[in-house]
C-alpha cells in the first residue's frame, strides 16, 4: 500500500506541475500571471517593447534647417543632451551636415556582385560624416581636421581633400536649446569656435546658478558657462595640450557630481584615469592605470586588474553611497570605487564584444547604459544584475543608433542623443508602464 500511495503522490505532483506550466491553474500569490512576463506594460498584447516603457514623440525637435537662412543644413552627430526642465533642453552636436533625402537602394557591382546600398535604411553614419573625423581610442587629436578632410596618412587618399568645410559639413550650432514642443529657442553660435569635439553637456543638480558644463575631448578641456550662455566662466584643463595631472586631461568624456559639488571626470579616450575636483574646479586626486586592449591592432597584453582602464568612457555617482561607477569600455566591464578611489567590485559585460557609451544613475537605485554593439538601452541593479533592456537598431522614430547622451526631466520624459543617427529623440512614459523599467528622474536639490 505504501508503494501504491507513493506512486499516486508522484503522479499527482506531476499533473499539478504540468498544469501550472501550461497555465491551467491559477498561480499562487506573488507569482506572475500568464502573459505578464518580461514586458514594460504587464500583459500587453502583441508588444515587442521596441521603445521599452516609452512612446517616442514624433517630430521632436524641430530641425536646425528651420532656422532662417539655414535650410540647407541638418544636425550633425548628436553627442549629448541635458533636460534642465520639460521646457528647456540643451542639445549638443558636432556641427551640421548637408540636408538631403536618403538615396534609393541600388546594387554596387563595382564593389561586389552581391552588395547593395543602403542597408536596412541606414545610409549616413553622422559620427563619421561629422568633423573632426577622429574619435577612437588613442586617435591623434592633432589631426582633427586632416583626418576628416582626407589628408591624414592613414586615409590613403592622395591629392586634394575629398571633404570640405562649408560643403560637406558646417561648423555651426553645436549647442541648440529647445522648448517642450521642440521649438529652437537659443543657439550658442558665439561659442562654436571653442569646440572641436564637444562630447557631453550638463547642469549640476547641486548648483543653484544652473551653470552649463561642456566636456570637449579634442580640446582637452571642460568649459563652464553661465546659464544663458553669455559668459564663459571657467576652463578646466589646458586647451589642446594633453596630460594626466592637475591641469591637463587626455581626452575627457563625461562627469558627475557629489552633493557638496565635488565632481569626477572620466579621462578618457586616451587617458586611463578618473580625476576628482572640488566644486571650484580645484584638482583633488586621481586614480587609474593603463590597461588593455588598447585598440589600433597593438599587441599589448590585456590588463584587467582592479584600477586598470582602457577607454574610460563614462562615470556615474550613486548619491546614497557616494560610490563611483566607471565604464571601462575597452575592457568590457564596470568598475566600482569609493569616492577616494578605493576599488570595491566590478562586473563584466557578457555581450561579445560590448561597447558601452555612458552611465546614468540619477535619483534611482539602478544604473543605465547603452551598448552600441547590441543597440540596446540596458538597466542593471547596482551589483550588475540585469533588470531590463530595450531598443532596436534603425533610423525610424523610436529606433536607436549610437545613443551617446541621455537625460530625464522632472516629468519623467527621456531624451536620447544619437551620435550615429544625428538626432535627439524624446520619449514619454507609456500609461501603465512598469515604473521599475523607467529611467530614474535626476536629482534636483539646488533648483527645480
Amino acid at each position: 500500500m505504501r508503494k501504491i500511495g507513493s506512486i499516486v503522490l508522484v503522479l499527482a505532483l506531476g499533473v499539478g506541475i504540468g498544469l501550472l506550466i501550461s497555465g491551467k491553474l491559477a498561480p499562487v500569490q506573488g507569482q506572475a500571471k500568464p502573459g505578464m512576463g518580461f514586458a514594460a506594460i504587464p500583459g500587453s498584447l502583441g508588444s515587442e517593447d521596441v521603445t521599452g516603457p516609452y512612446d517616442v514623440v514624433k517630430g521632436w525637435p524641430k530641425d536646425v534647417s528651420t532656422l532662417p537662412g539655414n535650410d540647407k543644413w541638418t544636425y550633425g552627430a548628436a553627442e549629448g543632451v541635458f533636460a534642465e526642465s520639460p521646457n528647456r533642453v540643451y542639445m549638443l552636436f558636432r556641427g551640421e551636415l548637408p540636408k538631403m533625402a536618403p538615396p534609393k537602394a541600388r546594387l554596387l557591382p563595382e564593389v561586389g556582385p552581391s552588395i547593395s546600398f543602403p542597408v536596412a535604411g541606414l545610409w549616413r553614419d553622422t559620427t563619421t560624416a561629422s568633423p573632426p573625423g577622429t574619435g577612437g581610442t588613442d586617435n591623434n587629436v592633432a589631426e582633427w581636421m586632416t583626418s576628416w578632410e582626407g589628408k591624414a596618412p592613414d586615409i590613403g587618399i592622395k591629392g586634394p581633400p575629398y571633404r570640405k568645410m562649408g560643403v560637406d559639413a558646417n561648423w555651426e550650432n553645436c549647442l541648440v536649446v529647445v522648448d517642450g514642443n521642440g521649438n529652437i529657442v537659443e543657439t550658442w553660435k558665439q561659442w562654436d569656435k571653442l569646440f572641436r569635439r564637444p562630447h557631453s553637456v550638463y547642469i549640476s543638480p547641486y548648483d543653484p546658478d544652473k551653470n552649463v558644463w561642456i566636456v570637449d575631448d579634442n580640446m582637452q578641456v571642460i568649459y563652464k558657462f553661465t546659464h544663458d550662455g553669455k559668459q564663459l566662466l571657467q576652463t578646466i584643463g589646458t586647451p589642446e595640450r594633453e596630460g594626466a595631472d592637475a591641469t591637463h586631461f587626455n581626452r575627457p568624456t563625461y562627469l558627475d557630481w557629489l552633493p557638496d559639488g565635488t565632481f569626477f571626470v572620466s579621462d578618457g579616450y586616451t587617458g586611463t584615469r578618473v580625476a576628482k575636483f572640488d566644486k571650484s574646479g580645484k584638482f583633488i586626486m586621481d586614480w587609474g592605470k593603463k590597461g588593455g586592449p588598447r585598440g589600433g591592432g597593438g599587441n599589448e597584453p590585456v590588463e584587467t586588474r582592479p584600477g586598470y582602464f582602457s577607454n574610460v568612457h563614462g562615470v556615474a555617482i550613486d548619491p546614497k553611497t557616494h560610490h563611483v561607477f566607471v565604464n571601462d569600455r575597452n575592457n568590457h566591464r564596470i568598475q566600482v570605487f569609493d569616492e577616494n578611489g578605493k576599488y570595491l567590485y566590478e562586473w563584466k559585460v557578457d555581450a561579445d564584444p560590448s561597447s558601452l557609451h555612458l552611465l546614468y544613475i540619477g535619483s534611482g537605485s539602478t544604473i543605465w547604459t547603452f551598448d552600441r554593439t547590441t543597440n540596446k538601452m540596458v538597466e542593471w541593479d547596482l551589483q550588475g544584475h540585469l533588470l531590463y533592456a530595450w531598443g532596436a537598431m534603425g533610423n525610424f522614430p523610436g529606433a536607436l543608433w549610437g545613443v551617446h547622451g541621455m537625460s530625464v526631466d522632472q516629468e519623467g520624459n527621456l531624451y536620447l542623443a544619437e551620435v550615429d543617427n544625428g538626432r535627439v529623440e524624446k520619449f514619454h512614459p507609456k500609461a501603465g508602464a512598469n515604473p521599475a523599467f523607467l529611467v530614474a528622474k535626476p536629482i534636483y536639490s539646488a533648483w527645480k
Side-chain angles (χ1 to χ4, degrees), residues 197 199-200 215-222 236 248-255 265-271 312-313:
R197 199 168 183 264
H199 194 273
S200 55
V215 182
D216 191 308
D217 73 85
N218 266 31
M219 284 298 288
Q220 313 284 14
V221 297
I222 299 171
I236 303 172
H248 294 84
F249 294 111
N250 205 340
R251 303 191 61 206
T253 54
Y254 298 92
L255 53 84
V265 180
S266 51
D267 180 36
Y269 275 107
T270 304
V312 196
H313 199 266

Side-chain angles (χ1 to χ4, degrees), residues 84 88 90 175 177 186-195 203 209-214 224-233:
E84 174 191 322
R88 186 173 177 83
Y90 298 81
L175 192 142
V177 184
E186 293 176 23
T187 63
W188 289 21
K189 294 174 64 173
Q190 69 272 24
W191 302 117
D192 288 338
K193 62 182 180 297
L194 290 182
F195 305 135
I203 296 176
D209 295 324
K210 297 186 287 186
N211 294 310
V212 178
W213 302 62
I214 295 179
K224 181 180 177 181
F225 298 95
T226 54
H227 176 254
D228 57 10
K230 292 182 178 180
Q231 184 179 357
L232 174 62
L233 297 175

Side-chain angles (χ1 to χ4, degrees), residues 427-439:
F427 296 83
H428 183 73
K430 292 179 179 178
N434 186 340
F437 294 166
L438 296 171
V439 182

Side-chain angles (χ1 to χ4, degrees), residues 379-401:
E379 181 186 23
W380 292 302
D381 68 18
L382 297 183
Q383 300 299 316
H385 301 105
L386 177 65
L387 300 177
Y388 186 59
W390 61 273
M393 185 177 181
N395 58 10
F396 57 87
L400 308 176
W401 189 19

Side-chain angles (χ1 to χ4, degrees), residues 32 47 60 90 147 161 321 334 356 418 432:
S47 175
W60 191 103
Y90 298 81
S147 291
T321 63
I334 305 296
L356 306 187
E418 298 171 74

